[in-house]
Amino acid sequence: IEIKSGDSIGIIGVSGSGKTTLLDTLLGLLAPQDGKIFYNNNLLADSLKEWRSQVAYLPQQVFLIDNTLRHNVALGLEDNEIDDDALKKALNKAQLNGLIDQLEQGVNTMIGENGVRLSGGQRQRIALARAFYHNRNVLVLDEATSALDNETESEIVEEIRRLKGKVTMIVIAHRHSTIEHCDRIFRLEEGGIVKSD
C-alpha cells in the first residue's frame, strides 16, 4: 500500500480479518514480521517520533477527561498554554460552534467523565477538534462511527468527506457506506488484502 499526502484510504473487513493488526503496524505499535514500512522514504522504526507527531488516532470510544470542553480539545496542555485562537479555529473546523452556543459556559463547560453529557457524535467531533488543534496531518479513524446511530454516523461521514484532500485519512470500517468517499478501498480477509478499488 502506498499512501500519499492528502489521500483517503478505506480499509474494510469483518472482525478478525486483520484490520486492527494492520493499523497497529501502521501506527508503529507492532513491528512487521515480514516486509518493511517506510515514512517519507525512511524506515518507520527510525522515524516513529516524527510520524506519531503527525497522527491523530480516533477510536470507536473517544478518550475524554472529566474537565472542560476547552481542556479536552487542548488535551495535555496547562490552562496558560492553551492558544484560544487556535482552539476557536479547531472547534469551527470540527463544526462544534452549535454545541458551544447551547452550553451555558461555552468552552468552559464541564463535560463530565468520558463526556457523559455529550452525544456520540459530539464526542467524535471533539476528537476531530483535538486533532485540528494539535495540527495533525494524518487522521486514523478506527471504527470511529460504528457505535453511532445512522443519522449521527452520516454527519461524521460528511465531516470526513469535507476533509478529503486537506488531510491524509486512513478509515477503518465494517460498513462500506462509511468509506465510500475514500480514494482507494482495501478489503481484508484472513490477514491479507484480497481486493482494492
Short mmCIF file of all heavy atoms in Angstrom, two decimals, residues 94-154:
data_model
loop_
_atom_site.label_atom_id
_atom_site.label_comp_id
_atom_site.label_asym_id
_atom_site.label_seq_id
_atom_site.Cartn_x
_atom_site.Cartn_y
_atom_site.Cartn_z
N ALA A 94 -14.26 21.57 13.23
CA ALA A 94 -14.97 20.35 13.63
C ALA A 94 -16.48 20.59 13.74
O ALA A 94 -17.23 19.71 14.16
CB ALA A 94 -14.43 19.83 14.96
N GLN A 95 -16.92 21.79 13.38
CA GLN A 95 -18.32 22.18 13.38
C GLN A 95 -18.98 21.97 14.75
O GLN A 95 -20.04 21.36 14.87
CB GLN A 95 -19.09 21.47 12.27
CG GLN A 95 -18.59 21.87 10.89
CD GLN A 95 -19.53 21.51 9.77
OE1 GLN A 95 -20.35 20.62 9.90
NE2 GLN A 95 -19.41 22.21 8.66
N LEU A 96 -18.31 22.49 15.77
CA LEU A 96 -18.82 22.38 17.14
C LEU A 96 -19.42 23.69 17.65
O LEU A 96 -19.82 23.79 18.80
CB LEU A 96 -17.70 21.93 18.09
CG LEU A 96 -17.46 20.42 18.13
CD1 LEU A 96 -16.14 20.10 18.79
CD2 LEU A 96 -18.59 19.70 18.85
N ASN A 97 -19.48 24.71 16.80
CA ASN A 97 -19.99 26.01 17.25
C ASN A 97 -21.43 25.94 17.75
O ASN A 97 -21.79 26.60 18.72
CB ASN A 97 -19.87 27.05 16.13
CG ASN A 97 -18.41 27.39 15.86
OD1 ASN A 97 -17.58 27.23 16.73
ND2 ASN A 97 -18.11 27.80 14.65
N GLY A 98 -22.25 25.13 17.10
CA GLY A 98 -23.65 24.97 17.52
C GLY A 98 -23.74 24.43 18.93
O GLY A 98 -24.54 24.92 19.75
N LEU A 99 -22.92 23.44 19.24
CA LEU A 99 -22.90 22.86 20.59
C LEU A 99 -22.45 23.91 21.60
O LEU A 99 -23.08 24.07 22.65
CB LEU A 99 -21.97 21.64 20.64
CG LEU A 99 -21.65 21.10 22.04
CD1 LEU A 99 -22.90 20.51 22.69
CD2 LEU A 99 -20.54 20.07 21.99
N ILE A 100 -21.40 24.64 21.29
CA ILE A 100 -20.85 25.62 22.23
C ILE A 100 -21.88 26.71 22.52
O ILE A 100 -22.02 27.15 23.66
CB ILE A 100 -19.53 26.21 21.67
CG1 ILE A 100 -18.47 25.11 21.69
CG2 ILE A 100 -19.06 27.40 22.48
CD1 ILE A 100 -17.36 25.29 20.74
N ASP A 101 -22.62 27.11 21.49
CA ASP A 101 -23.67 28.13 21.68
C ASP A 101 -24.76 27.66 22.65
O ASP A 101 -25.37 28.45 23.35
CB ASP A 101 -24.30 28.51 20.34
CG ASP A 101 -23.32 29.28 19.45
OD1 ASP A 101 -22.29 29.76 19.97
OD2 ASP A 101 -23.57 29.36 18.23
N GLN A 102 -24.99 26.35 22.68
CA GLN A 102 -26.03 25.78 23.56
C GLN A 102 -25.56 25.62 25.00
O GLN A 102 -26.37 25.53 25.91
CB GLN A 102 -26.45 24.39 23.05
CG GLN A 102 -27.18 24.40 21.72
CD GLN A 102 -27.35 22.99 21.18
OE1 GLN A 102 -27.14 22.00 21.89
NE2 GLN A 102 -27.71 22.87 19.91
N LEU A 103 -24.24 25.58 25.20
CA LEU A 103 -23.70 25.36 26.54
C LEU A 103 -23.63 26.68 27.31
O LEU A 103 -23.13 27.68 26.79
CB LEU A 103 -22.31 24.73 26.45
CG LEU A 103 -22.22 23.36 25.78
CD1 LEU A 103 -20.76 22.94 25.60
CD2 LEU A 103 -22.99 22.31 26.57
N GLU A 104 -24.14 26.65 28.52
CA GLU A 104 -24.21 27.87 29.33
C GLU A 104 -22.86 28.54 29.52
O GLU A 104 -22.73 29.75 29.46
CB GLU A 104 -24.82 27.52 30.70
CG GLU A 104 -25.48 28.69 31.37
CD GLU A 104 -26.24 28.26 32.61
OE1 GLU A 104 -27.20 27.48 32.49
OE2 GLU A 104 -25.85 28.72 33.70
N GLN A 105 -21.81 27.72 29.72
CA GLN A 105 -20.48 28.28 29.93
C GLN A 105 -19.57 28.10 28.72
O GLN A 105 -18.35 28.21 28.84
CB GLN A 105 -19.86 27.64 31.18
CG GLN A 105 -20.58 28.06 32.46
CD GLN A 105 -20.01 27.32 33.65
OE1 GLN A 105 -20.16 26.11 33.77
NE2 GLN A 105 -19.35 28.05 34.54
N GLY A 106 -20.16 27.82 27.56
CA GLY A 106 -19.39 27.69 26.32
C GLY A 106 -18.28 26.66 26.43
O GLY A 106 -18.51 25.56 26.95
N VAL A 107 -17.07 27.04 26.01
CA VAL A 107 -15.94 26.09 26.02
C VAL A 107 -15.49 25.76 27.44
O VAL A 107 -14.76 24.79 27.65
CB VAL A 107 -14.72 26.61 25.21
CG1 VAL A 107 -15.05 26.69 23.74
CG2 VAL A 107 -14.21 27.93 25.73
N ASN A 108 -15.94 26.55 28.43
CA ASN A 108 -15.55 26.29 29.82
C ASN A 108 -16.55 25.41 30.56
O ASN A 108 -16.48 25.26 31.77
CB ASN A 108 -15.35 27.62 30.55
CG ASN A 108 -14.18 28.38 29.97
OD1 ASN A 108 -13.09 27.83 29.82
ND2 ASN A 108 -14.40 29.63 29.61
N THR A 109 -17.45 24.77 29.81
CA THR A 109 -18.42 23.85 30.39
C THR A 109 -17.76 22.52 30.72
O THR A 109 -17.02 21.97 29.90
CB THR A 109 -19.59 23.61 29.40
OG1 THR A 109 -20.18 24.86 29.10
CG2 THR A 109 -20.63 22.68 29.99
N MET A 110 -18.00 22.02 31.91
CA MET A 110 -17.52 20.68 32.30
C MET A 110 -18.35 19.67 31.52
O MET A 110 -19.57 19.75 31.50
CB MET A 110 -17.69 20.46 33.79
CG MET A 110 -16.87 21.40 34.66
SD MET A 110 -15.08 21.15 34.53
CE MET A 110 -14.88 19.64 35.45
N ILE A 111 -17.67 18.70 30.90
CA ILE A 111 -18.40 17.73 30.07
C ILE A 111 -18.61 16.38 30.75
O ILE A 111 -19.24 15.50 30.19
CB ILE A 111 -17.75 17.54 28.68
CG1 ILE A 111 -16.33 17.01 28.82
CG2 ILE A 111 -17.78 18.84 27.90
CD1 ILE A 111 -15.74 16.56 27.50
N GLY A 112 -18.10 16.26 31.97
CA GLY A 112 -18.31 15.01 32.72
C GLY A 112 -17.35 13.91 32.30
O GLY A 112 -16.71 13.98 31.25
N GLU A 113 -17.26 12.90 33.14
CA GLU A 113 -16.35 11.79 32.88
C GLU A 113 -16.72 11.11 31.57
O GLU A 113 -17.87 10.76 31.33
CB GLU A 113 -16.40 10.79 34.03
CG GLU A 113 -15.25 9.81 34.01
CD GLU A 113 -15.17 9.00 35.29
OE1 GLU A 113 -15.70 9.44 36.33
OE2 GLU A 113 -14.59 7.92 35.23
N ASN A 114 -15.73 10.95 30.69
CA ASN A 114 -15.92 10.37 29.35
C ASN A 114 -16.99 11.10 28.54
O ASN A 114 -17.60 10.52 27.65
CB ASN A 114 -16.22 8.87 29.43
CG ASN A 114 -14.97 8.06 29.73
OD1 ASN A 114 -13.88 8.41 29.28
ND2 ASN A 114 -15.12 7.01 30.50
N GLY A 115 -17.21 12.36 28.86
CA GLY A 115 -18.17 13.15 28.08
C GLY A 115 -19.59 12.67 28.21
O GLY A 115 -20.35 12.69 27.24
N VAL A 116 -19.99 12.26 29.43
CA VAL A 116 -21.33 11.68 29.63
C VAL A 116 -22.46 12.64 29.24
O VAL A 116 -23.55 12.20 28.93
CB VAL A 116 -21.56 11.19 31.09
CG1 VAL A 116 -20.70 10.00 31.41
CG2 VAL A 116 -21.34 12.31 32.10
N ARG A 117 -22.17 13.92 29.24
CA ARG A 117 -23.22 14.91 28.90
C ARG A 117 -23.34 15.14 27.40
O ARG A 117 -24.12 15.96 26.96
CB ARG A 117 -22.92 16.24 29.59
CG ARG A 117 -22.95 16.12 31.10
CD ARG A 117 -22.68 17.44 31.76
NE ARG A 117 -22.69 17.25 33.20
CZ ARG A 117 -22.14 18.08 34.04
NH1 ARG A 117 -21.54 19.17 33.62
NH2 ARG A 117 -22.17 17.83 35.33
N LEU A 118 -22.52 14.43 26.61
CA LEU A 118 -22.49 14.65 25.17
C LEU A 118 -23.00 13.42 24.42
O LEU A 118 -22.95 12.30 24.92
CB LEU A 118 -21.06 14.94 24.72
CG LEU A 118 -20.36 16.11 25.41
CD1 LEU A 118 -18.89 16.13 25.02
CD2 LEU A 118 -21.03 17.42 25.05
N SER A 119 -23.43 13.65 23.18
CA SER A 119 -23.83 12.52 22.32
C SER A 119 -22.57 11.90 21.72
O SER A 119 -21.48 12.48 21.76
CB SER A 119 -24.73 13.03 21.19
OG SER A 119 -23.97 13.80 20.27
N GLY A 120 -22.73 10.73 21.13
CA GLY A 120 -21.61 10.05 20.48
C GLY A 120 -21.00 10.90 19.38
O GLY A 120 -19.78 10.98 19.23
N GLY A 121 -21.85 11.55 18.59
CA GLY A 121 -21.37 12.40 17.51
C GLY A 121 -20.59 13.60 18.01
O GLY A 121 -19.57 13.99 17.44
N GLN A 122 -21.06 14.18 19.12
CA GLN A 122 -20.36 15.33 19.71
C GLN A 122 -18.99 14.91 20.25
O GLN A 122 -18.01 15.64 20.10
CB GLN A 122 -21.21 15.95 20.83
CG GLN A 122 -22.44 16.67 20.29
CD GLN A 122 -23.46 16.98 21.38
OE1 GLN A 122 -23.52 16.33 22.42
NE2 GLN A 122 -24.29 17.98 21.11
N ARG A 123 -18.93 13.72 20.84
CA ARG A 123 -17.64 13.21 21.34
C ARG A 123 -16.66 13.03 20.18
O ARG A 123 -15.49 13.38 20.29
CB ARG A 123 -17.83 11.91 22.11
CG ARG A 123 -18.50 12.12 23.46
CD ARG A 123 -18.38 10.90 24.36
NE ARG A 123 -19.21 9.80 23.93
CZ ARG A 123 -20.45 9.57 24.36
NH1 ARG A 123 -21.01 10.39 25.25
NH2 ARG A 123 -21.15 8.54 23.94
N GLN A 124 -17.15 12.47 19.06
CA GLN A 124 -16.28 12.28 17.90
C GLN A 124 -15.82 13.63 17.35
O GLN A 124 -14.68 13.77 16.93
CB GLN A 124 -17.00 11.48 16.80
CG GLN A 124 -17.19 10.01 17.12
CD GLN A 124 -15.89 9.24 17.23
OE1 GLN A 124 -14.82 9.75 16.97
NE2 GLN A 124 -15.99 7.99 17.64
N ARG A 125 -16.70 14.62 17.35
CA ARG A 125 -16.31 15.96 16.86
C ARG A 125 -15.26 16.59 17.77
O ARG A 125 -14.37 17.31 17.30
CB ARG A 125 -17.53 16.87 16.77
CG ARG A 125 -18.41 16.57 15.58
CD ARG A 125 -19.60 17.51 15.55
NE ARG A 125 -20.64 17.01 14.68
CZ ARG A 125 -20.71 17.25 13.38
NH1 ARG A 125 -19.79 17.96 12.80
NH2 ARG A 125 -21.70 16.76 12.67
N ILE A 126 -15.33 16.33 19.07
CA ILE A 126 -14.30 16.83 19.99
C ILE A 126 -12.96 16.18 19.66
O ILE A 126 -11.92 16.84 19.65
CB ILE A 126 -14.70 16.60 21.46
CG1 ILE A 126 -15.84 17.56 21.83
CG2 ILE A 126 -13.50 16.80 22.41
CD1 ILE A 126 -16.47 17.32 23.18
N ALA A 127 -12.99 14.90 19.34
CA ALA A 127 -11.75 14.20 18.93
C ALA A 127 -11.19 14.82 17.65
O ALA A 127 -9.97 14.99 17.51
CB ALA A 127 -12.02 12.72 18.75
N LEU A 128 -12.07 15.17 16.72
CA LEU A 128 -11.63 15.84 15.48
C LEU A 128 -11.03 17.21 15.80
O LEU A 128 -9.97 17.56 15.29
CB LEU A 128 -12.81 16.02 14.51
CG LEU A 128 -13.17 14.87 13.59
CD1 LEU A 128 -14.42 15.21 12.79
CD2 LEU A 128 -12.03 14.53 12.64
N ALA A 129 -11.71 17.97 16.65
CA ALA A 129 -11.22 19.30 17.04
C ALA A 129 -9.85 19.18 17.70
O ALA A 129 -8.95 20.00 17.46
CB ALA A 129 -12.21 19.98 17.98
N ARG A 130 -9.66 18.14 18.50
CA ARG A 130 -8.37 17.90 19.17
C ARG A 130 -7.28 17.68 18.11
O ARG A 130 -6.18 18.22 18.23
CB ARG A 130 -8.50 16.67 20.07
CG ARG A 130 -7.28 16.39 20.91
CD ARG A 130 -7.48 15.11 21.70
NE ARG A 130 -8.50 15.25 22.72
CZ ARG A 130 -9.12 14.22 23.31
NH1 ARG A 130 -8.82 12.97 22.96
NH2 ARG A 130 -10.02 14.42 24.23
N ALA A 131 -7.61 16.89 17.08
CA ALA A 131 -6.64 16.63 16.00
C ALA A 131 -6.28 17.94 15.29
O ALA A 131 -5.11 18.19 14.99
CB ALA A 131 -7.23 15.63 15.01
N PHE A 132 -7.28 18.78 15.04
CA PHE A 132 -7.03 20.05 14.36
C PHE A 132 -6.21 20.99 15.25
O PHE A 132 -5.29 21.66 14.77
CB PHE A 132 -8.34 20.75 13.98
CG PHE A 132 -9.18 19.98 13.01
CD1 PHE A 132 -10.56 19.94 13.15
CD2 PHE A 132 -8.61 19.29 11.96
CE1 PHE A 132 -11.35 19.24 12.27
CE2 PHE A 132 -9.39 18.58 11.06
CZ PHE A 132 -10.76 18.56 11.22
N TYR A 133 -6.54 21.03 16.53
CA TYR A 133 -5.84 21.92 17.45
C TYR A 133 -4.35 21.58 17.50
O TYR A 133 -3.49 22.45 17.50
CB TYR A 133 -6.44 21.85 18.86
CG TYR A 133 -5.72 22.78 19.82
CD1 TYR A 133 -6.06 24.13 19.89
CD2 TYR A 133 -4.68 22.32 20.62
CE1 TYR A 133 -5.38 25.00 20.74
CE2 TYR A 133 -4.00 23.17 21.47
CZ TYR A 133 -4.35 24.51 21.52
OH TYR A 133 -3.66 25.36 22.35
N HIS A 134 -4.06 20.29 17.54
CA HIS A 134 -2.66 19.84 17.65
C HIS A 134 -1.99 19.69 16.28
O HIS A 134 -0.92 19.10 16.19
CB HIS A 134 -2.59 18.54 18.47
CG HIS A 134 -2.91 18.74 19.92
ND1 HIS A 134 -2.05 19.33 20.80
CD2 HIS A 134 -4.03 18.44 20.64
CE1 HIS A 134 -2.59 19.38 22.00
NE2 HIS A 134 -3.79 18.85 21.94
N ASN A 135 -2.64 20.24 15.24
CA ASN A 135 -2.07 20.26 13.88
C ASN A 135 -1.65 18.89 13.36
O ASN A 135 -0.57 18.74 12.81
CB ASN A 135 -0.87 21.22 13.80
CG ASN A 135 -1.30 22.65 13.86
OD1 ASN A 135 -2.28 23.04 13.24
ND2 ASN A 135 -0.60 23.44 14.66
N ARG A 136 -2.51 17.92 13.53
CA ARG A 136 -2.22 16.59 12.98
C ARG A 136 -2.61 16.55 11.50
O ARG A 136 -3.67 17.02 11.12
CB ARG A 136 -2.99 15.51 13.74
CG ARG A 136 -2.70 15.46 15.22
CD ARG A 136 -1.25 15.12 15.50
NE ARG A 136 -1.06 14.65 16.84
CZ ARG A 136 -0.31 15.23 17.75
NH1 ARG A 136 0.31 16.35 17.47
NH2 ARG A 136 -0.15 14.72 18.95
N ASN A 137 -1.73 16.01 10.69
CA ASN A 137 -1.97 15.95 9.24
C ASN A 137 -2.50 14.60 8.78
O ASN A 137 -2.87 14.46 7.62
CB ASN A 137 -0.67 16.26 8.49
CG ASN A 137 -0.20 17.67 8.77
OD1 ASN A 137 -0.99 18.60 8.71
ND2 ASN A 137 1.07 17.83 9.10
N VAL A 138 -2.46 13.62 9.68
CA VAL A 138 -2.94 12.28 9.35
C VAL A 138 -4.02 11.90 10.36
O VAL A 138 -3.77 11.91 11.57
CB VAL A 138 -1.80 11.23 9.39
CG1 VAL A 138 -2.32 9.85 9.01
CG2 VAL A 138 -0.65 11.63 8.47
N LEU A 139 -5.22 11.61 9.87
CA LEU A 139 -6.31 11.16 10.74
C LEU A 139 -6.51 9.67 10.53
O LEU A 139 -6.71 9.22 9.40
CB LEU A 139 -7.62 11.89 10.41
CG LEU A 139 -7.69 13.38 10.67
CD1 LEU A 139 -9.08 13.89 10.34
CD2 LEU A 139 -7.35 13.71 12.11
N VAL A 140 -6.47 8.92 11.62
CA VAL A 140 -6.72 7.48 11.57
C VAL A 140 -8.01 7.24 12.34
O VAL A 140 -8.08 7.46 13.54
CB VAL A 140 -5.55 6.68 12.20
CG1 VAL A 140 -5.87 5.20 12.20
CG2 VAL A 140 -4.26 6.95 11.43
N LEU A 141 -9.05 6.83 11.62
CA LEU A 141 -10.35 6.59 12.24
C LEU A 141 -10.59 5.08 12.31
O LEU A 141 -10.78 4.42 11.29
CB LEU A 141 -11.46 7.27 11.43
CG LEU A 141 -11.40 8.79 11.47
CD1 LEU A 141 -10.68 9.33 10.25
CD2 LEU A 141 -12.78 9.37 11.55
N ASP A 142 -10.53 4.56 13.51
CA ASP A 142 -10.66 3.11 13.73
C ASP A 142 -12.08 2.81 14.20
O ASP A 142 -12.39 2.95 15.38
CB ASP A 142 -9.63 2.67 14.78
CG ASP A 142 -9.63 1.16 14.99
OD1 ASP A 142 -10.34 0.44 14.26
OD2 ASP A 142 -8.91 0.71 15.90
N GLU A 143 -12.94 2.43 13.25
CA GLU A 143 -14.35 2.12 13.56
C GLU A 143 -14.98 3.30 14.31
O GLU A 143 -15.82 3.11 15.18
CB GLU A 143 -14.46 0.85 14.41
CG GLU A 143 -13.81 -0.38 13.79
CD GLU A 143 -14.69 -1.08 12.78
OE1 GLU A 143 -15.78 -0.57 12.46
OE2 GLU A 143 -14.29 -2.12 12.29
N ALA A 144 -14.56 4.52 13.97
CA ALA A 144 -14.96 5.71 14.73
C ALA A 144 -16.45 5.99 14.68
O ALA A 144 -16.97 6.71 15.51
CB ALA A 144 -14.18 6.93 14.24
N THR A 145 -17.16 5.41 13.72
CA THR A 145 -18.60 5.69 13.61
C THR A 145 -19.47 4.48 13.94
O THR A 145 -20.69 4.59 13.94
CB THR A 145 -18.96 6.16 12.18
OG1 THR A 145 -18.66 5.11 11.26
CG2 THR A 145 -18.20 7.41 11.80
N SER A 146 -18.85 3.34 14.26
CA SER A 146 -19.64 2.11 14.40
C SER A 146 -20.57 2.10 15.61
O SER A 146 -21.56 1.39 15.62
CB SER A 146 -18.73 0.88 14.43
OG SER A 146 -17.88 0.93 15.54
N ALA A 147 -20.28 2.92 16.63
CA ALA A 147 -21.15 2.94 17.82
C ALA A 147 -22.22 4.02 17.72
O ALA A 147 -22.99 4.21 18.64
CB ALA A 147 -20.30 3.16 19.07
N LEU A 148 -22.26 4.73 16.58
CA LEU A 148 -23.19 5.83 16.44
C LEU A 148 -24.47 5.39 15.73
O LEU A 148 -24.46 4.45 14.95
CB LEU A 148 -22.54 6.96 15.62
CG LEU A 148 -21.19 7.48 16.13
CD1 LEU A 148 -20.64 8.53 15.18
CD2 LEU A 148 -21.32 8.05 17.53
N ASP A 149 -25.56 6.12 15.99
CA ASP A 149 -26.79 5.83 15.25
C ASP A 149 -26.60 6.30 13.80
O ASP A 149 -25.67 7.05 13.50
CB ASP A 149 -27.99 6.52 15.91
CG ASP A 149 -27.85 8.03 15.97
OD1 ASP A 149 -27.85 8.67 14.90
OD2 ASP A 149 -27.73 8.58 17.08
N ASN A 150 -27.49 5.88 12.91
CA ASN A 150 -27.32 6.15 11.47
C ASN A 150 -27.23 7.63 11.15
O ASN A 150 -26.41 8.05 10.34
CB ASN A 150 -28.48 5.52 10.67
CG ASN A 150 -28.35 4.01 10.62
OD1 ASN A 150 -27.28 3.46 10.88
ND2 ASN A 150 -29.44 3.34 10.30
N GLU A 151 -28.07 8.45 11.78
CA GLU A 151 -28.08 9.88 11.49
C GLU A 151 -26.76 10.54 11.90
O GLU A 151 -26.17 11.31 11.15
CB GLU A 151 -29.25 10.57 12.20
CG GLU A 151 -29.44 12.01 11.80
CD GLU A 151 -30.60 12.67 12.54
OE1 GLU A 151 -31.53 11.96 12.99
OE2 GLU A 151 -30.56 13.89 12.66
N THR A 152 -26.29 10.19 13.11
CA THR A 152 -25.04 10.77 13.61
C THR A 152 -23.87 10.26 12.80
O THR A 152 -22.95 11.02 12.48
CB THR A 152 -24.84 10.42 15.11
OG1 THR A 152 -26.03 10.76 15.81
CG2 THR A 152 -23.69 11.19 15.70
N GLU A 153 -23.91 8.97 12.42
CA GLU A 153 -22.85 8.42 11.58
C GLU A 153 -22.78 9.20 10.27
O GLU A 153 -21.71 9.56 9.80
CB GLU A 153 -23.07 6.94 11.29
CG GLU A 153 -21.94 6.37 10.46
CD GLU A 153 -22.17 4.96 9.96
OE1 GLU A 153 -23.34 4.53 9.87
OE2 GLU A 153 -21.17 4.29 9.65
N SER A 154 -23.93 9.49 9.68
CA SER A 154 -23.97 10.25 8.42
C SER A 154 -23.32 11.61 8.58
O SER A 154 -22.60 12.08 7.69
CB SER A 154 -25.41 10.44 7.94
OG SER A 154 -26.00 9.20 7.69
#
